[in-house]
Amino acid sequence: MFRKGKKRHSSSSSQSSEISTKSKSVDSSLGGLSRSSTVASLDTDSTKSSGQSNNNSDTCVEFRIKYVGAIEKLKVSEGSLEGPLDLINYIDVAQQDGKLPFVPLEEEFIMGVSKYGIKVSTSDQYDVLHRHALYLIIRMVCYDDGLGAGKSLLALKTTDASNEEYSLWVYQCNSLEQAQAICKVLSTAFDSVLTSEKS
């Protein structure tokens, strides 16, 4: 059920990061209903940088989250899903089509965010569920799940090393504040790597 991965250090990245929080109306495609939610997005392809540099950049910040599901190995030619709303709409449609569940697994996982990327492991941190190297992360978006329970989804778009395929990973956070905090920590990790490259 779980993949055990070897520790992998990412190569240098020449990307900048930007995190933005906006209130938007998101079309959930559920019979024409729309929901208003706050969307926080981390765009690693942006030309601006807005995170604060952290002197203690080797630290790993951990969050308790739940795993919803993933859509893996999407071809770049199938659509780029560039903006945050593109990701949110794609996930909504995938949930309606049964490709992704609406409700996450009951088990809680630990998401560790550091300058090396993101590691999702079991709560005892013995088994690793996913590893996302920092240089392969394209975008992170958090938004209200629209189910009325006050939970937020965190969507992560990653690419493979050859940039031919990408994957979407969906996690559930306890609150929008927690999801935004994860985006901010990841933004700081990008800034830390970029600052160390310039030195």
Side-chain angles (χ1 to χ4, degrees):
M1 179 173 171
F2 297 108
R3 293 183 286 172
K4 289 188 180 179
K6 295 180 181 177
K7 189 169 184 178
R8 207 168 77 180
H9 293 280
S10 64
S11 68
S12 297
S13 172
S14 62
Q15 299 173 332
S16 294
S17 61
E18 175 184 357
I19 186 169
S20 60
T21 304
K22 299 175 183 164
S23 183
K24 298 189 178 194
S25 178
V26 179
D27 180 11
S28 66
S29 302
L30 293 171
L33 298 175
S34 65
R35 63 176 183 245
S36 178
S37 65
T38 301
V39 176
S41 171
L42 175 65
D43 180 5
T44 62
D45 292 331
S46 175
T47 57
K48 291 192 265 179
S49 177
S50 64
Q52 296 291 327
S53 180
N54 185 352
N55 292 336
N56 194 3
S57 60
D58 285 343
T59 60
C60 179
V61 181
E62 296 179 340
F63 301 91
R64 289 193 169 276
I65 51 95
K66 291 186 176 181
Y67 176 59
V68 176
I71 302 172
E72 297 184 68
K73 300 186 186 249
L74 296 167
K75 297 289 183 193
V76 172
S77 60
E78 292 178 28
S80 59
L81 300 177
E82 289 300 319
L85 292 178
D86 294 334
L87 288 177
I88 294 167
N89 288 333
Y90 191 89
I91 290 166
D92 280 346
V93 170
Q95 287 175 321
Q96 293 170 35
D97 292 345
K99 295 177 184 175
L100 277 175
F102 283 98
V103 181
L105 300 171
E106 282 299 315
E107 183 179 1
E108 277 195 336
F109 295 94
I110 302 292
M111 176 181 277
V113 183
S114 73
K115 71 176 188 177
Y116 301 108
I118 295 175
K119 178 177 81 170
V120 180
S121 57
T122 55
S123 56
D124 62 5
Q125 297 191 0
Y126 182 73
D127 291 317
V128 175
L129 183 64
H130 306 126
R131 286 185 192 271
H132 308 292
L134 191 66
Y135 76 102
L136 296 178
I137 296 172
I138 298 172
R139 180 181 292 276
M140 179 178 271
V141 179
C142 61
Y143 61 99
D144 179 72
D145 68 1
L147 299 177
K151 305 290 184 182
S152 290
L153 295 181
L154 186 70
L156 188 64
K157 179 182 174 185
T158 62
T159 187
D160 60 356
S162 63
N163 287 323
E164 293 178 7
E165 296 178 335
Y166 61 91
S167 299
L168 299 177
W169 309 86
V170 184
Y171 304 96
Q172 185 188 65
C173 299
N174 294 323
S175 65
L176 184 60
E177 291 76 23
Q178 181 192 34
Q180 290 173 338
I182 294 170
C183 284
K184 287 178 185 175
V185 170
L186 190 63
S187 177
T188 301
F190 274 107
D191 287 344
S192 171
V193 169
L194 292 171
T195 302
S196 65
E197 281 183 1
K198 291 177 184 175
S199 301

